[in-house]
Amino acid sequence: MLSKIFTTVKYTLVTVNFLFLITGIIILAVGGSVQAAYNNYHEFLSERFFSLPAFCIATGIIIFLISFSGFYGAFMENYLMNMAFAGAMILMFVFQLSACIAGYALKSNTVALVQKQLLSTMELYGPASLEITKLWDEVQGDFECCGVVNSSDWLAPLGTLESRGLPVSCCSHIYGTIQLFNCTTVEAYPTGCAEAFGNWVQSHAAAIGAAGIFLVLMQALAVAGAVWMAKISREERGAYP
């Protein structure tokens, strides 16, 4: 009876390690995609936002490598490899859980952090920085937003308090008619970019958090199976393999 249970656990653990390998690839893909998405708006994001996808990429690679030791330990019924795998997973478990907590804490402050970064770049709009100007126009056009909180945020930096003029990207317009088009606070998008862009950033941070929680659950299952299998393996053989 014990032998059948041991065989079942063995192949279950092999299957879990295969799923864990796939999970590592998924985590790596999630981190890479979020990193690529954030890179397009680097100037508008705090460096804290880039630590999460970078962590995901590193975690995915480490998990991919560790899963091979888990495969070997489970298939060969090797006590030392199973315990080494369990130890590595416990360390990753603690590390990943800490990262998940930090990620969700960052998620709750996303809009405030984005707002701070956006405010710090408004004075650079125009000839002072073509890169910032292009980025602001892309964000306002892509997310259909204007200013930080609302369109009036632009009036002081642009010196248009009387004319109420705004960047053309603040308004919906037909391309090809730019020279004939004026954008003011009357026609501007009603939503501020801190909210619209911040929600987009937040959704990507949430994706990393969800992937992290799934990974933590998989780790707990893999660790429990590896430790139990190592215990039974040692008891059956009476010594280290």
Side-chain angles (χ1 to χ4, degrees), residues 101-124:
I101 294 172
Y104 275 100
L106 180 61
K107 177 188 169 188
S108 64
N109 295 324
T110 295
V111 174
L113 290 171
V114 168
Q115 181 174 326
K116 180 180 178 181
Q117 289 294 117
L118 292 176
L119 284 170
S120 68
T121 60
M122 294 191 84
E123 295 290 344
L124 299 175

Side-chain angles (χ1 to χ4, degrees), residues 73-120:
F75 192 76
M76 300 301 292
E77 304 173 12
N78 188 296
Y79 173 81
L80 290 178
M81 288 299 294
N82 279 323
M83 291 306 295
F85 172 75
M89 284 298 95
I90 290 172
L91 290 176
M92 288 296 296
F93 180 87
V94 174
F95 191 40
Q96 184 74 19
L97 188 60
S98 300
C100 284
I101 294 172
Y104 275 100
L106 180 61
K107 177 188 169 188
S108 64
N109 295 324
T110 295
V111 174
L113 290 171
V114 168
Q115 181 174 326
K116 180 180 178 181
Q117 289 294 117
L118 292 176
L119 284 170
S120 68

